[in-house]
């Protein structure tokens, strides 16, 4: 029988775990229900080893679940640009998907540069292979993908509609994406400068896509209108939100972390996902040993630096990302960083300063969350500081989003006034 811990400790951990994870919206949960049940059961029994193994299994499931995304569509639909956008890679970078090259009969994998378990597959368009959908799916090894994204820059062809039906029959999800919407709007505005209406034009583009399905006696699915050059506009955020909700729970975490932090909603979603991981790790540390809150700090500073830098990378706040943001928004890096705090959190080497930071955050977390999770017991030397770092990085990301949005708004107004 596994080692046990006291009934008081057991009750505190079990009730805290249950209360926290019960309050998370279903679409934001990153742990499969079966694993949550195992963790609750082992905590309730008070079996230390079983609880430890249950949580370890949950974390391993979250961190290492592979995600494979198939992207297909006719040549020129913007598959390469779409994959580059999802990977956060610019066309000129060394490992970018090559834009504008001739269609091949081979499927090509592209790893996400920050999320090792996420792979995007550039598939040849079904029209280029001249074979029925079911044989096309066999050739591109359909069983390996979590879902398919079918792109078109004009209107969807009958072969693509048939392909979607074949995918659904094999119990896979597929999504229709109309690309180059910015070009559609620009062309409409140039041809009808006096009567151009952005909203009506987008409605017309969507209706044009829907008519393809109607004309072929098929129910029209949701169609997402996007621009690969402007990921915060049109339907791109809605598409990403849909993909996250439709993924199995254990695959959501890494997919969420892969999203470009271009909206406040994405920043919040990353925060919720990472907080679940921190709390799981904290529960695991608390099960194995009780560490007094005063026994924190200096021996864990290097580990804290790694965590802080990891969060900055995931939220696009590392030095390289800030340089790119500065170039894109035409705002000096110094101006971007003057109102954020995360790059400087661990500049001091004074133990007293870190201790004050820790105690201040424990008080803040306790007042906001209450209950045993806020007592400071059982949750390892770096638990509260990790939460503090995560909160700070999340808020910094929102600050920069507001600043760059304001800059773009001013630029747009200047262009409009000319």
């Amino acid at each position: 029988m596994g080692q046990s811990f006291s009934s008081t400790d057991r009750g505190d951990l079990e009730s805290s775990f249950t209360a926290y994870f019960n309050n998370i919206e279903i679409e934001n949960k990153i742990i499969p229900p079966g694993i949550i049940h195992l963790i609750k059961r082992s905590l309730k029994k008070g079996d230390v080893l079983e609880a430890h193994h249950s949580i370890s299994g949950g974390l391993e499931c979250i961190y290492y679940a592979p995600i494979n995304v198939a992207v297909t569509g006719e040549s020129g639909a913007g598959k390469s640009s779409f994959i580059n956008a999802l990977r956060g890679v610019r066309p000129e970078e060394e490992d970018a998907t090559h834009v504008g090259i001739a269609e091949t009969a081979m499927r090509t994998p592209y790893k996400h540069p920050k999320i090792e378990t996420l792979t995007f597959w550039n598939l040849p368009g079904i029209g280029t292979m001249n074979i029925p959908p079911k044989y096309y799916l066999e050739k591109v090894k359909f069983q390996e993908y979590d879902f398919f994204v079918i792109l078109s820059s004009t209107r969807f062809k009958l072969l693509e509609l048939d392909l979607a039906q074949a995918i659904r029959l094999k119990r896979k999800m597929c999504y229709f994406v109309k690309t180059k919407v910015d070009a559609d709007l620009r062309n409409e505005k140039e041809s009808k400068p006096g009567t151009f209406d952005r909203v009506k034009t987008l409605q017309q583009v969507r209706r044009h896509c829907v008519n393809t399905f109607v004309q072929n006696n098929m129910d029209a699915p949701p169609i997402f209108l996007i621009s690969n050059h402007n990921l915060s506009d049109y339907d791109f955020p809605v598409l990403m939100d849909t993909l996250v909700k439709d993924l199995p729970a254990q695959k959501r975490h890494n997919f969420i972390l892969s999203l470009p932090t271009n909206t406040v909603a994405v920043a919040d979603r990353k925060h919720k996902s990472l907080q679940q991981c921190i709390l799981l790790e904290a529960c695991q540390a608390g099960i194995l040993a009780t560490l007094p809150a005063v026994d924190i700090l200096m021996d864990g500073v290097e580990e804290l630096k790694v965590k802080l830098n990891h969060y900055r990378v995931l939220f696009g706040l590392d030095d390289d990302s800030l340089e790119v943001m500065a170039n894109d928004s035409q705002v000096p890096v110094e101006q971007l960083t003057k109102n954020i705090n995360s790059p400087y959190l661990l500049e001091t080497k004074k133990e007293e300063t870190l201790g004050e930071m820790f105690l201040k955050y424990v008080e803040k977390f306790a007042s906001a969350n209450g209950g045993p999770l806020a007592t400071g017991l059982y949750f390892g030397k770096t638990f509260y500081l990790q939460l503090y770092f995560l909160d700070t990085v999340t808020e910094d990301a929102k600050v920069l989003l507001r600043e760059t949005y304001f800059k773009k708004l001013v630029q747009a107004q200047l262009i409009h006034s000319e």
Side-chain angles (χ1 to χ4, degrees), residues 71-83 149-156 176-185 202 205 209 223-229 234-236 239:
V71 180
T72 187
E74 63 184 0
S75 179
K79 290 181 291 183
S80 296
S81 296
F82 181 72
I83 292 173
V149 180
I150 302 176
L151 303 182
S152 175
S153 60
T154 53
R155 63 186 300 166
F156 297 101
F176 285 93
V177 175
K178 166 69 174 71
T179 60
K180 304 184 181 180
V181 176
D182 51 341
D184 293 331
L185 289 172
L202 289 174
V205 171
C209 294
I223 296 170
F224 302 92
L225 310 182
I226 73 163
S227 163
N228 291 328
H229 305 294
Y234 312 110
D235 291 338
F236 189 88
L239 172 62

Side-chain angles (χ1 to χ4, degrees), residues 296-397:
I296 194 172
L297 303 180
M298 295 311 295
D299 57 340
V301 168
E302 288 304 316
E303 182 181 347
L304 286 171
K305 286 181 180 178
V306 171
K307 282 288 186 182
L308 176 58
N309 289 332
H310 179 58
Y311 297 152
R312 290 181 63 203
V313 168
L314 292 176
F315 282 80
L317 296 176
D318 56 293
D319 294 343
D320 290 341
S321 297
L322 288 173
E323 286 284 351
V324 171
M325 188 184 300
N327 290 332
D328 287 347
S329 60
Q330 298 180 351
V331 176
V333 173
E334 295 76 17
Q335 184 176 335
L336 288 178
T337 57
K338 72 177 182 180
N339 293 322
I340 63 175
N341 300 308
S342 54
Y344 318 109
L345 285 178
L346 286 176
E347 278 192 350
T348 179
K349 295 183 180 180
K350 293 181 180 179
E351 183 172 343
E352 293 79 12
T353 304
L354 284 174
E356 290 170 1
M357 182 192 300
F358 166 72
L359 293 174
K360 180 180 179 181
Y361 194 71
V362 169
E363 181 179 355
K364 175 184 175 183
F365 188 84
S367 64
N369 296 275
L373 277 178
T375 63
L377 298 177
Y378 306 118
F379 296 102
K381 293 187 292 184
T382 61
F383 169 57
Y384 289 105
L385 285 178
Q386 284 188 47
L387 283 175
Y388 177 70
F389 291 166
L390 177 59
D391 284 354
T392 303
V393 169
T394 304
E395 184 55 36
D396 282 354

Side-chain angles (χ1 to χ4, degrees), residues 391-405:
D391 284 354
T392 303
V393 169
T394 304
E395 184 55 36
D396 282 354
K398 294 178 182 180
V399 167
L400 292 185
L401 282 172
R402 288 191 291 267
E403 185 160 341
T404 53
Y405 172 78

Side-chain angles (χ1 to χ4, degrees), residues 5 18 23-25 43 76 101 124 134 137 148 155 164 190 197 245 251 253 312-313 315 345 349 408:
F5 47 101
T18 300
N23 287 331
I24 299 173
E25 304 92 335
L43 288 174
I101 61 173
K134 65 177 181 178
L137 289 177
F148 288 73
R155 63 186 300 166
E190 289 175 355
D197 185 309
K245 289 179 180 178
K251 297 199 176 192
H253 179 66
R312 290 181 63 203
V313 168
F315 282 80
L345 285 178
K349 295 183 180 180
K408 290 178 182 177

Side-chain angles (χ1 to χ4, degrees), residues 108-318:
T108 308
Y110 294 92
K111 288 281 187 183
H112 193 282
K114 298 178 182 177
I115 308 297
E116 294 181 358
T117 62
L118 174 57
T119 306
F120 295 96
W121 294 83
N122 192 343
L123 305 186
I126 185 171
T128 63
M129 300 183 71
N130 198 28
I131 56 176
K134 65 177 181 178
Y135 297 116
Y136 171 87
L137 289 177
E138 290 174 8
K139 187 173 182 64
V140 299
K141 301 182 179 179
F142 79 94
Q143 71 278 3
E144 295 183 6
Y145 312 115
D146 290 283
F147 58 85
F148 288 73
V149 180
I150 302 176
L151 303 182
S152 175
S153 60
T154 53
R155 63 186 300 166
F156 297 101
K157 307 296 190 297
L158 180 59
L159 268 177
E160 293 164 343
L161 273 57
D162 291 339
L163 174 62
Q165 284 191 323
I167 291 170
R168 288 169 181 154
L169 285 174
K170 295 180 181 295
R171 301 184 182 278
K172 295 277 186 179
M173 297 295 294
C174 68
Y175 305 88
F176 285 93
V177 175
K178 166 69 174 71
T179 60
K180 304 184 181 180
V181 176
D182 51 341
D184 293 331
L185 289 172
R186 186 169 56 251
N187 292 338
E188 183 72 8
K189 187 173 183 179
E190 289 175 355
S191 63
K192 301 175 182 177
T195 61
F196 173 74
D197 185 309
R198 185 179 188 273
V199 174
K200 287 184 179 179
T201 301
L202 289 174
Q203 290 173 344
Q204 290 170 357
V205 171
R206 194 182 303 276
R207 194 180 308 118
H208 186 69
C209 294
V210 168
N211 285 341
T212 305
F213 293 85
V214 174
Q215 291 165 5
N216 289 280
N217 299 314
M218 297 174 63
D219 292 332
I223 296 170
F224 302 92
L225 310 182
I226 73 163
S227 163
N228 291 328
H229 305 294
N230 190 351
L231 302 186
S232 60
D233 204 353
Y234 312 110
D235 291 338
F236 189 88
V238 182
L239 172 62
M240 294 301 104
D241 188 58
T242 303
L243 297 181
V244 169
K245 289 179 180 178
D246 289 349
L247 277 170
Q250 72 273 17
K251 297 199 176 192
R252 287 180 189 146
H253 179 66
N254 281 333
F255 191 79
I256 289 169
L257 297 186
S258 77
L259 300 178
T261 313
N262 53 13
T263 66
V264 170
V266 170
D268 284 336
R269 178 156 258 169
K270 287 186 179 183
H271 180 276
K272 290 176 183 177
S273 191
L274 286 164
Q275 189 179 61
Q276 290 177 64
C277 292
I278 292 173
L279 290 169
L280 275 175
E281 292 172 355
C283 283
Q284 187 177 41
I287 286 167
L288 295 178
T290 301
L291 296 175
V294 294
D295 181 31
I296 194 172
L297 303 180
M298 295 311 295
D299 57 340
V301 168
E302 288 304 316
E303 182 181 347
L304 286 171
K305 286 181 180 178
V306 171
K307 282 288 186 182
L308 176 58
N309 289 332
H310 179 58
Y311 297 152
R312 290 181 63 203
V313 168
L314 292 176
F315 282 80
L317 296 176
D318 56 293

